[in-house]
């Protein structure tokens, strides 16, 4: 049999040897371990409260009962204590959209300068920006927060604090996410942009187009795939972020995103499984949909960044 | 259940302002760049780099320098007192801080190694299998889930009920089925750290799998054919052809996961809030700077994190420069 189907890759060869029963069993076990926890949580979120609390979700198969009550309660409950996640859900959306758009555009501009203009020290600036990935977010938090809330004093000049209130607090969060996204974003877009054919850019220059024009009408349309994968990255990162949100958005339903509320529920109401399970799923569903529908772009972005770099 | 939708209005308005501001910034920038008679590439580059450069300066570079300074000062941010290396001494002598360091070490050794191995094994096993893309999507899916969401998912797996009661956590149920006593997985130090580590492995294996799978598929057929003519066994093929061929990708995966692991914060926060000896560096920083208001100690944790990440990134930069000279 193996003589007929001879997989030509090295992995294929190994697999043929291993594709005994053990190999199949191993891969199925891995797949199960990776899927069952999420599945169990999902199934639980649909079970009535007394059932979630009294027995395991696997009992569903002997006593199937489903309800959407948990979702209704955790999303729209009257008091903040029991969830009110719809409000936080909107916060997540309000935070995410600008926090993706802004850095994307600035990254594209910077990546263009680093790949298609010629000036001394270009490589050093590129490497410096790449190296900034070394700065853990944690290092920037305290000073950046005090920049917003206490202002900043450089010598004798004192910069007044911004002191954002109410919905304006979103601006802080956008700003922080935009800054932290730049090093990786510029790196990924630069990789892609530097590969564009030289002739194309030269031809445009001969026709008298300046850099601004070339960027706008030639480069931007061509890097759409790269922009798309970076956008998905940034979207998942911002939507799933907890640390930045905890520090730059206040923890209330006014500006805090889903992750903050969920972490809170997990800490203070760790036994209210009907809320936690439904709540967790509310937060998972959007990135999961984005991820599953745009998986191909996402993987491409992943590979551009990692295999080459 | 009377949800007040009108309270959400101002937020959506803020979103509208944000998007409009974005469009305005983009429009004005492009317009200005179009009109400016920039002859020299140097000036064009300066203009293009300005927004990103300014943000990096305000958001990363200056704060990083200030944090380094803070780490040599005492608790208060205003009229801070210089304390020299006291914060660092404290980290390396206090039991609590030492446990934080030990945990970080455990995370950073176990997560990259195990996640990469599982990713590699799975990539090899499902390569060219039927339903390959479906099988991959299963492992890859946790990448889309927030660390908080993943924390809750696994908290549920680890949930504990006293012996004799019906278990609701899968792990304890399995233990009971095999005749064991249910345990409080997240409370018993030092094992609880291992149970948190499992969560990050669960998330990162998908990343390793995707990258490694792509580079396995890129191995030239000739190499494989030549090896086969030499009559190597599949086992040798794996160790002497596959592994060496995907070495660069393996290193990148290990490095990326290591850096990500050093910065892990959310999982600890969502599952144990750093209690029961489960804190790590990145959580310690948050804990001291924003919960206990001791910015000096918090900053020292952050600087330590920086020191640990630096050699890894320098290594990557060297790789990068080599590749650029080849190109």
């Amino acid at each position: 049999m193996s003589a007929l189907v001879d997989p030509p890759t090295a992995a294929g060869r190994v697999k043929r040897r291993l594709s005994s029963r053990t190999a199949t069993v191993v891969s199925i076990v891995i797949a199960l371990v990776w899927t069952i926890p999420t599945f169990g949580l999902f199934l639980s979120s649909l079970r009535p409260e007394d059932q979630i609390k009294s027995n395991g979700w696997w009992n569903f198969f002997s006593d199937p009962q489903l309800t959407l009550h948990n979702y209704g309660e955790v999303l729209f409950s009257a008091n903040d204590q029991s969830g009110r996640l719809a409000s936080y859900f909107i916060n997540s959306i309000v935070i995410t959209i600008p926090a993706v758009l802004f850095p994307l555009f600035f990254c594209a501009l910077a990546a263009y300068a680093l790949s298609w203009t010629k000036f001394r020290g270009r490589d050093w600036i590129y490497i410096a920006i790449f190296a900034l990935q070394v700065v853990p977010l944690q290092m920037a938090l305290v000073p950046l927060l005090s920049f917003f809330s206490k202002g900043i004093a450089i010598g004798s000049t004192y910069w007044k604090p911004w002191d954002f209130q109410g919905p304006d607090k979103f601006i802080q969060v956008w700003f922080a996410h935009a800054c932290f996204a730049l090093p990786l974003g510029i790196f990924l877009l630069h990789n892609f942009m530097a590969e564009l054919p030289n002739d194309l850019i030269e031809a445009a220059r001969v026709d008298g187009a300046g850099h601004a024009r070339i960027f706008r009408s030639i480069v931007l349309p061509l890097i759409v795939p790269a922009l798309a994968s970076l956008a998905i990255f940034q979207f998942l990162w911002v939507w799933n972020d907890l640390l930045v949100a905890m520090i730059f958005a206040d923890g209330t339903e006014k500006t805090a995103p889903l992750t903050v509320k969920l972490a809170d529920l997990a800490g203070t109401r760790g036994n209210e499984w009907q809320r936690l399970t439904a709540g967790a799923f509310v937060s998972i569903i959007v990135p999961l949909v984005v991820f599953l529908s745009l998986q191909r772009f996402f993987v491409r972005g992943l590979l551009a960044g990692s295999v080459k770099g | 259940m009377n949800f007040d939708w009108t309270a959400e209005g101002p937020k959506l308005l803020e979103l509208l302002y944000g998007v409009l501001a974005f469009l305005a910034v983009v429009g004005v920038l492009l317009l200005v760049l179009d009109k400016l008679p920039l002859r020299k590439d140097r000036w064009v580059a300066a203009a293009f780099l300005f927004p990103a450069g300014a943000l990096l300066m305000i958001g990363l570079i200056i704060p990083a320098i200030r944090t380094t300074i803070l780490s040599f000062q005492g608790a208060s941010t205003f009229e801070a007192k210089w304390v020299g290396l006291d914060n660092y001494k404290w980290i390396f002598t206090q039991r609590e801080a030492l446990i934080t360091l030990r945990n970080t070490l455990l995370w950073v050794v176990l997560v990259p190694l195990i996640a990469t191995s599982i990713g590699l094994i799975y990539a090899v096993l499902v390569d060219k299998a039927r339903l390959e893309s479906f099988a991959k999507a299963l492992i890859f899916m946790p990448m889309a889930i927030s660390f908080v969401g993943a924390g809750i998912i696994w908290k549920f797996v680890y949930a504990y009920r006293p012996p004799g009661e019906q278990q609701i956590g899968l792990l304890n149920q399995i233990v009971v089925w095999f005749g064991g006593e249910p345990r409080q997985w997240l409370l018993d130090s030092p094992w609880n750290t291992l149970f948190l580590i499992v969560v990050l492995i669960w998330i990162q294996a998908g990343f390793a799998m995707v990258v490694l799978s792509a580079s396995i598929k890129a191995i030239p057929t000739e190499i494989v054919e030549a090896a086969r003519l030499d009559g190597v066994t599949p086992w040798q093929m794996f160790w002497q052809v596959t592994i060496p061929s995907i070495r660069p990708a393996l290193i990148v995966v290990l490095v990326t996961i290591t850096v990500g692991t050093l910065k892990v914060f959310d999982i600890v926060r969502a599952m144990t809030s750093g209690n029961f000896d489960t804190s790590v560096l990145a959580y310690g920083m948050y804990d001291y700077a924003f919960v206990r208001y001791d910015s000096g100690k918090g900053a020292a944790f952050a600087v330590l994190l920086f020191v640990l990440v630096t050699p890894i990134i320098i290594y990557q930069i060297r790789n990068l420069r080599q590749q650029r000279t080849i190109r």
Side-chain angles (χ1 to χ4, degrees), chain B residues 31-103:
Chain B
L31 204 71
V32 168
L33 292 178
D34 253 354
K35 293 280 178 264
L36 277 181
L38 296 172
R39 294 269 151 58
K40 286 250 169 70
D41 266 16
R42 198 191 317 165
W43 297 114
V44 180
F48 274 55
L49 281 170
F50 176 74
L55 285 187
L56 284 173
M57 204 48 120
I58 301 173
L60 276 179
I61 299 173
I62 295 174
I65 295 170
R66 289 205 54 194
T67 294
T68 313
I69 297 171
L70 278 179
S71 75
F72 297 107
Q73 295 179 339
S76 159
T77 330
F78 281 130
E79 48 175 326
K81 268 185 294 186
W82 289 95
V83 295
L85 288 171
D86 279 6
N87 291 323
Y88 294 96
K89 269 187 214 145
W90 174 86
I91 289 182
F92 288 102
T93 47
Q94 276 289 311
R95 177 187 173 273
E96 192 195 347
L98 281 174
I99 284 180
T100 301
L101 287 180
R102 180 205 67 189
N103 290 344

Side-chain angles (χ1 to χ4, degrees), chain A residues 215-268:
Chain A
F215 172 74
R216 188 161 45 84
S217 48
I218 299 180
V219 171
L220 267 192
L222 282 177
I223 60 163
V224 166
L227 284 175
S229 55
L230 181 59
I232 300 166
F233 258 119
Q234 177 68 1
F235 169 83
L236 290 178
W237 158 245
V238 174
W239 185 276
N240 288 336
D241 157 78
L242 175 66
L243 185 56
V244 174
M246 276 179 78
I247 288 160
F248 292 100
D250 62 5
T252 70
E253 62 181 284
K254 283 185 195 135
T255 43
L258 274 173
T259 44
V260 170
K261 183 63 183 176
L262 272 179
D264 207 36
L265 282 180
T268 56

Side-chain angles (χ1 to χ4, degrees), chain A residues 1 24 27 97 113 120 155 217 233 263 274:
Chain A
M1 181 205 115
T24 320
S27 55
I97 294 173
R120 265 181 48 191
S217 48
F233 258 119
Q274 78 284 7

Side-chain angles (χ1 to χ4, degrees), chain A:
Chain A
M1 181 205 115
S2 59
L4 285 175
V5 260
D6 228 354
T9 66
R13 294 278 296 164
V14 176
K15 204 200 77 202
R16 207 159 50 93
R17 152 85 193 284
L18 293 176
S19 66
S20 54
R21 221 163 280 150
T22 358
T24 320
V25 169
V26 169
S27 55
I28 289 176
V29 165
I30 296 179
L32 283 179
V33 172
W34 255 250
T35 319
I36 282 182
T38 318
F39 174 75
L41 190 89
F42 176 59
L43 198 56
S44 289
S45 70
L46 294 168
R47 301 178 77 210
E49 177 179 347
D50 54 327
Q51 295 225 344
I52 300 180
K53 286 183 173 171
S54 59
N55 55 38
W57 52 265
W58 46 90
N59 288 299
F60 166 82
F61 297 105
S62 52
D63 175 21
Q65 287 189 44
L66 291 180
T67 169
L68 283 174
H69 178 79
N70 301 330
Y71 283 92
E73 195 184 76
V74 84
L75 278 170
F76 302 117
S77 52
N79 67 334
D80 187 46
Q81 286 301 307
S82 52
R84 217 178 163 73
L85 285 189
S87 200
Y88 293 88
F89 190 87
I90 292 173
N91 295 344
S92 278
I93 293 174
V94 175
I95 287 175
T96 308
I97 294 173
V100 170
L101 291 179
F102 272 102
L104 213 60
F105 180 66
F106 292 150
C107 285
L109 271 182
Y112 179 85
L114 292 172
S115 37
W116 291 108
T117 60
K118 294 194 170 48
F119 60 97
R120 265 181 48 191
R122 189 180 75 166
D123 283 359
W124 282 110
I125 293 185
Y126 174 60
I127 286 186
I129 291 177
F130 178 77
L132 277 178
Q133 290 180 76
V134 88
V135 178
L137 240 141
Q138 279 84 353
M139 267 190 105
L141 297 175
V142 180
L144 192 55
L145 186 67
S146 79
F147 168 72
F148 284 123
S149 63
K150 292 180 187 150
I152 196 168
I154 305 168
S156 56
T157 46
Y158 179 66
W159 200 333
K160 266 201 338 204
W162 296 85
D163 201 22
F164 293 116
Q165 293 301 328
D168 285 347
K169 284 231 174 201
F170 284 122
I171 297 174
Q172 281 183 185
V173 190
W174 296 338
F175 187 91
H177 275 305
C179 296
F180 299 147
L182 288 172
L184 184 69
I186 293 175
F187 171 68
L188 289 178
L189 287 185
H190 175 272
N191 276 354
F192 196 87
M193 248 186 234
E195 302 284 318
L196 293 178
N198 197 21
D199 308 351
L200 205 64
I201 314 282
E202 280 309 313
R205 302 216 70 176
V206 170
D207 287 349
H211 279 296
R213 231 194 119 77
I214 296 178
F215 172 74
R216 188 161 45 84
S217 48
I218 299 180
V219 171
L220 267 192
L222 282 177
I223 60 163
V224 166
L227 284 175
S229 55
L230 181 59
I232 300 166
F233 258 119
Q234 177 68 1
F235 169 83
L236 290 178
W237 158 245
V238 174
W239 185 276
N240 288 336
D241 157 78
L242 175 66
L243 185 56
V244 174
M246 276 179 78
I247 288 160
F248 292 100
D250 62 5
T252 70
E253 62 181 284
K254 283 185 195 135
T255 43
L258 274 173
T259 44
V260 170
K261 183 63 183 176
L262 272 179
D264 207 36
L265 282 180
T268 56
R269 313 188 151 241
N271 284 319
E272 309 238 330
W273 286 111
Q274 78 284 7
R275 298 209 174 96
L276 272 179
T277 51
F281 247 86
V282 170
S283 83
I284 289 172
I285 199 72
V286 173
L288 219 52
V289 167
V290 168
F291 173 80
L292 289 178
S293 48
L294 302 173
Q295 201 179 0
R296 207 178 318 147
F297 285 116
F298 182 67
V299 170
R300 202 186 299 169
L302 212 63
L303 298 176
S306 39
V307 175
K308 270 201 214 154

Side-chain angles (χ1 to χ4, degrees), chain B residues 1 26 29 31 33 38 71 85 101 104 116 132 142 146 195 199 229 235 263 309 312 315-316 318:
Chain B
M1 278 188 212
V26 170
L29 259 175
L31 204 71
L33 292 178
L38 296 172
S71 75
L85 288 171
L101 287 180
T104 309
T116 309
E132 179 183 347
S146 68
F195 289 106
V199 182
L229 287 178
W235 194 245
K263 298 181 190 171
V309 180
I312 307 175
Y315 177 75
Q316 258 197 326
R318 276 188 41 200

